[in-house]
Amino acid sequence: MSLEVLEVAAVAGQFEVQVAGQGLPATGPGQCWLAQPADLAGLPLPVFPLDLGDGRYAFWVTAQELTQPGSPLAEIGPGWQLPVFGPVGRKWLPPGNEGHLLVAAADPGRAWPVARLALGLGWAIAWLWRFRVPEWAAQILPPAVEFHAGRPSPELIDWADVILIDHPEPTTYLKDLRGLGRLRQTGRAFACQTPPMPCGFGGCQACWAQTRTGRSLMCVEGPWVSL
Ligand code: FES
């Protein structure tokens, strides 16, 4: 299937792609689509949609995802047809109807669609950056989201019921942030894992990743998994 690209907008180094996809299979929380590269030897790119209603969706990508050679999005612009397949993965939201959600992610693309749904369910959201608050934060995230940067305080760790991590090495990231590992020990740390996903349905066995309970295929059990 393909999506019609309506708009590509740059916001402080992040890119919002709005698309129209009437008749797409329903996409649940936490699931992604795989955007197909024009070169079939290339790998699909996972993108995480926000449902804007009326068959319109938006997803956020980084400048690198948009422009790197071989990216399915490399020449994207209004009117372009973007081939995608999916939804891929399992539906997932932080458990419960309300609580305190800490997000540790450098970019909005993967974590924000899930966090926004959680916000709508009554969760309080705090966002943690490793070094400093980036410029895009105040332009993309609503005022209801609290911003934190640097080493988290013990109070912030105690506050969090669940932490969502979008980092290439989530386990190492947790260990580096002194005290946050406690959230893993109590089963409250979740990470977005997107190893290369060539097929998106469990057929190629290429997307194994480590989870709290063992190894799982991320296109079936992920991409959000308990660490
Ligand atoms: S992408 Fe092929 S098994 Fe997961």
Side-chain angles (χ1 to χ4, degrees):
M1 63 195 173
S2 68
L3 305 170
E4 182 190 351
V5 177
L6 303 174
E7 191 181 344
V8 181
V11 181
Q14 304 292 323
F15 292 84
E16 183 190 34
V17 181
Q18 286 200 21
V19 294
Q22 294 287 356
L24 276 181
T27 302
Q31 293 182 309
C32 63
W33 297 329
L34 294 177
Q36 289 180 278
D39 173 0
L40 290 180
L43 281 169
L45 177 73
V47 295
F48 291 73
L50 286 166
D51 189 345
L52 304 179
D54 298 329
R56 292 183 313 120
Y57 300 85
F59 57 84
W60 290 93
V61 290
T62 63
Q64 190 193 11
E65 287 170 325
L66 193 71
T67 59
Q68 69 188 354
S71 166
L73 309 179
E75 292 171 23
I76 198 171
W80 215 65
Q81 294 294 315
L82 176 64
V84 297
F85 54 98
V88 167
R90 127 189 116 85
K91 296 177 188 173
W92 183 82
L93 261 181
N97 278 335
E98 56 183 33
H100 296 158
L101 179 65
L102 179 60
V103 179
D107 307 306
R110 297 153 191 264
W112 176 228
V114 167
R116 197 185 77 158
L117 288 167
L119 192 63
L121 289 173
W123 286 71
I125 314 279
W127 202 295
L128 173 67
W129 287 273
R130 205 157 187 189
F131 301 112
R132 63 177 187 282
V133 177
E135 200 188 329
W136 62 261
Q139 297 186 47
I140 294 175
L141 303 176
V145 178
E146 250 183 46
F147 298 166
H148 298 266
R151 208 174 263 287
S153 66
E155 291 75 28
L156 182 60
I157 296 166
D158 286 342
W159 175 88
D161 296 315
V162 169
I163 180 170
L164 298 186
I165 300 169
D166 178 18
H167 189 273
E169 295 288 342
T171 307
T172 309
Y173 178 85
L174 263 184
K175 278 189 197 144
D176 286 354
L177 289 176
R178 192 176 49 208
L180 276 180
R182 192 170 60 73
L183 292 173
R184 184 182 190 209
Q185 287 154 18
T186 51
R188 291 182 290 146
F190 298 86
C192 188
Q193 307 262 52
T194 55
M197 293 199 271
C199 77
F201 62 85
C204 70
Q205 302 283 298
C207 63
W208 291 102
Q210 194 64 35
T211 71
R212 185 175 169 78
T213 53
R215 272 158 45 87
S216 300
L217 287 172
M218 287 303 103
C219 69
V220 178
E221 293 295 323
W224 287 97
V225 288
S226 178
L227 271 187

